[in-house]
Amino acid sequence: MQYKLEHYLPLLEKKPRAVWNAQAVRAVGLPAAFWGFAKKLGSDYEVVKLLRLMAEYGIPVVLSAMEAAASVGPYAYEAVRTKLELGQCDSKPDKPITDPLQIKQVDLSAYDSMLAGGKSA
């Protein structure tokens, strides 16, 4: 089974507290700089909005904007977005996050057997 982070973002927008443990987010392998910045934000929803920026602009560009935003003021999503929109970051736009993640298929035959009244495998 495959899924893309971009497809998972609408779910995270509905349940932003899940961003810290979401497999799709963890599998991207974001650097410690991202998580350090994210922990200082005002809400989990701002972390999800940062992920949306990463899907749009690419990880290196957003990390550069996060660094620029942190050097001039408080940690905030709006500061990062402003840096990106004004082009005040070191990197040029990179390829957005589009690589699908691989997820192992789970064998549920034991549950099917139990539902049918048989013994589990």
Side-chain angles (χ1 to χ4, degrees):
M1 178 193 270
Q2 293 182 1
Y3 63 92
K4 295 181 180 182
L5 181 58
E6 294 89 355
H7 296 167
Y8 201 68
L9 290 174
L11 296 173
L12 288 172
E13 288 170 345
K14 291 180 182 177
K15 303 243 183 209
R17 287 181 51 195
V19 74
W20 303 103
N21 296 311
Q23 179 62 30
V25 176
R26 291 286 181 193
V28 172
L30 297 169
F34 171 82
W35 294 111
F37 188 94
K39 288 179 183 175
K40 296 176 183 174
L41 292 174
S43 72
D44 298 331
Y45 187 65
E46 286 192 0
V47 179
V48 175
K49 291 193 293 187
L50 277 181
L51 290 173
R52 176 125 352 242
L53 287 178
M54 287 185 164
E56 182 179 340
Y57 288 93
I59 294 173
V61 176
V62 175
L63 288 174
S64 176
M66 287 167 59
E67 185 177 311
S71 68
V72 295
Y75 290 83
Y77 158 79
E78 290 298 327
V80 176
R81 187 181 59 81
T82 300
K83 294 292 182 187
L84 288 169
E85 289 178 356
L86 297 177
Q88 297 177 348
C89 47
D90 296 334
S91 302
K92 293 184 179 181
D94 194 23
K95 178 185 153 207
I97 303 170
T98 58
D99 297 331
L101 302 173
Q102 297 290 331
I103 300 176
K104 291 182 179 180
Q105 190 69 24
V106 179
D107 179 20
L108 300 175
S109 61
Y111 294 103
D112 292 338
S113 176
M114 290 183 343
L115 287 173
K119 295 183 180 179
S120 63

